[in-house]
Amino acid sequence: MADLERIRLVILGGAGVGKSSIIKRFLFKTYTDKYRATVEDLFNREYDLGGVTLKVDILDTSGDMQFPAMRRLSIATAHAFMLVYASTSASSFQCVKQCFEEIREQRADYQDIPIVIAGNKSDLANTHREVRLEEVTDWVYCELPRLRAKVLECSAKEDQNVTDLFKTLLSLSRFLPVGSNNDGTSGLKRRSSAYVSASSSRNKNRNASTSVSGDKASSLFEAADPSTGSGVVKLKPRSRSLIRRASRKTKQQINNASDDCNFQ
């Protein structure tokens, strides 16, 4: 039986910066201009790493501050963070700074946690830029304590650097080699994937799963093609109570162990 590694990536940032768009562009190669406020969405995927199974949870959080308890729990259970701002909004960068302060206050190990600061909407930066990349890098590398962090600009709409965001997170987490000349996906085969929405009570349940093996297995950073029904099966919806129980269980595990995912 393959060994198990698990990593939870938590996406934080202000409302409307494109957190959900980044995730859906990466996972499903889809994009929409229609905005829908997120309460909390959880995406689950499994990958083969040559005898080791890597389970990846991607948690999409709310952009407002109406759910402080959920926010604290997401920060407490994270193995890595993506802090998203819009390069067209100076206030969204201030929100990223606030998110980092929350991480620093709650996590004594914040200097060891992989963090990617993502500047979305770079496709609009030529005409509507309010946040310069140099301003962000100066804040991260000059003003803050030494971190395991990297700054990247991206565009979910144009699919620019979206894959690099997640590849960088796993590289900082030491699941992938840093500075690799190729895409870093050699030998990484996706086993299955699932999507769970904690806010599905307001919308129709959305669940998808793909399972592939052998020579036809997709790489870690290759999203499933939603236009083909190949290998896609529906999962039973997971209730909000089940998600809350899972969250409590995870929180208990955090209290019992300083880190349940080996980054070293």
Side-chain angles (χ1 to χ4, degrees):
M1 182 176 180
D3 293 332
L4 175 65
E5 295 281 1
R6 189 167 197 133
I7 181 171
R8 170 167 286 206
L9 311 179
V10 173
I11 318 297
L12 297 171
V17 297
K19 300 184 298 296
S20 299
S21 295
I22 289 173
I23 294 172
K24 291 175 182 177
R25 171 64 78 179
F26 171 64
L27 293 178
F28 310 117
K29 296 298 182 184
T30 60
Y31 176 82
T32 178
D33 288 319
K34 186 176 180 180
Y35 176 72
R36 180 185 67 85
T38 300
V39 175
E40 187 174 274
D41 288 342
L42 179 63
F43 300 80
N44 310 110
R45 299 234 170 188
E46 289 187 9
Y47 301 95
D48 282 336
L49 286 80
V52 176
T53 298
L54 174 62
K55 290 192 174 184
V56 181
D57 298 334
I58 302 176
L59 183 64
D60 186 10
T61 63
S62 173
D64 57 39
M65 304 298 176
Q66 296 182 14
F67 309 98
M70 293 173 63
R71 193 177 185 85
R72 286 193 297 269
L73 180 60
S74 67
I75 292 175
T77 57
H79 298 126
F81 292 99
M82 184 186 298
L83 309 183
V84 183
Y85 68 93
S87 60
T88 57
S89 170
S91 61
S92 69
F93 180 46
Q94 295 303 316
C95 186
V96 160
K97 291 183 177 181
Q98 181 180 346
C99 290
F100 175 76
E101 289 304 318
E102 292 182 53
I103 295 171
R104 177 153 57 178
E105 290 174 3
Q106 295 187 48
R107 297 290 296 268
D109 60 342
Y110 71 93
Q111 288 178 295
D112 297 321
I113 302 175
I115 301 175
V116 167
I117 295 90
N120 193 30
K121 305 187 181 182
S122 62
D123 55 293
L124 302 175
N126 289 336
T127 55
H128 298 85
R129 180 181 290 275
E130 293 186 8
V131 183
R132 294 181 299 108
L133 182 61
E134 294 79 6
E135 179 183 356
V136 182
T137 55
D138 286 348
W139 171 66
V140 173
Y141 301 123
C142 300
E143 297 183 31
L144 298 181
R146 187 174 180 179
L147 302 174
R148 192 190 296 182
K150 190 168 183 178
V151 179
L152 291 172
E153 287 194 334
C154 67
S155 170
K157 182 176 183 179
E158 301 294 334
D159 197 12
Q160 297 173 352
N161 287 340
V162 172
T163 297
D164 289 340
L165 294 177
F166 293 90
K167 183 168 67 174
T168 298
L169 274 173
L170 291 186
S171 295
L172 292 172
S173 302
R174 298 173 187 169
F175 281 108
L176 293 178
V178 179
S180 175
N181 292 328
N182 55 33
D183 64 359
T185 63
S186 177
L188 295 119
K189 305 298 183 181
R190 187 172 65 203
R191 289 168 55 89
S192 64
S193 65
Y195 163 56
V196 178
S197 172
S199 58
S200 58
S201 59
R202 301 186 309 164
N203 303 280
K204 184 179 179 180
N205 288 322
R206 296 163 296 169
N207 300 278
S209 174
T210 60
S211 179
V212 290
S213 60
D215 296 337
K216 295 183 180 180
S218 62
S219 68
L220 175 60
F221 301 109
E222 180 181 314
D225 185 356
S227 64
T228 65
S230 176
V232 178
V233 295
K234 291 186 177 181
L235 297 178
K236 294 182 179 179
R238 292 176 61 183
S239 66
R240 294 175 64 88
S241 61
L242 177 60
I243 295 172
R244 286 194 294 268
R245 290 198 300 272
S247 299
R248 287 196 296 268
K249 182 178 179 181
T250 304
K251 190 173 182 180
Q252 291 172 355
Q253 292 173 344
I254 292 296
N255 292 332
N256 294 332
S258 60
D259 190 3
D260 60 358
C261 185
N262 181 17
F263 292 137
Q264 305 301 324

